[in-house]
Amino acid sequence: MLIKFKPHDYQQEAIQHIKQHTHCALLLDMGLGKTISCLTAIDALMYDEFTVSKTLVIAPKNVAAHTWPSEVQKWEHTKHLRAVAVT
């Protein structure tokens, strides 16, 4: 079952920050939606604004190998994205 994402205000700010800066870091506590905020911004930049075609995300090995691929498939609006871990 896919989940529909309804961002909190702080997540919307994070998404806008990513969209407005070509290089940035998103520093939030665990569980506050860093991954989905990034995925939402990436999706918008790729398929709404057409300003990027690829994105490099630097993350701890476990997060890159397990969290990102599972999060991509979890959300209704990101299921078409592909996360590939390079370790």
Side-chain angles (χ1 to χ4, degrees):
M1 182 171 157
L2 297 172
I3 301 170
K4 185 170 173 90
F5 179 54
K6 297 175 187 170
H8 297 284
D9 290 343
Y10 70 89
Q11 289 171 319
Q12 193 60 47
E13 282 186 45
I15 293 164
Q16 290 306 314
H17 180 80
I18 294 166
K19 289 170 61 176
Q20 293 170 357
H21 297 85
T22 58
H23 299 77
C24 66
L26 185 54
L27 307 171
L28 295 170
D29 287 334
M30 285 180 24
L32 292 181
K34 291 180 293 296
T35 305
I36 188 56
S37 295
C38 289
L39 285 169
T40 301
I42 290 167
D43 178 65
L45 290 168
M46 292 178 81
Y47 298 104
D48 294 339
E49 299 176 20
F50 305 106
T51 54
V52 298
S53 59
K54 296 177 186 175
T55 305
L56 173 65
V57 176
I58 300 171
K61 183 178 181 178
N62 192 47
V63 173
H66 302 290
T67 303
W68 276 77
S70 67
E71 287 288 314
V72 164
Q73 296 303 310
K74 178 179 174 181
W75 301 97
E76 188 176 280
H77 70 291
T78 63
K79 65 182 179 185
H80 61 277
L81 296 175
R82 183 173 60 126
V84 177
V86 178
T87 58

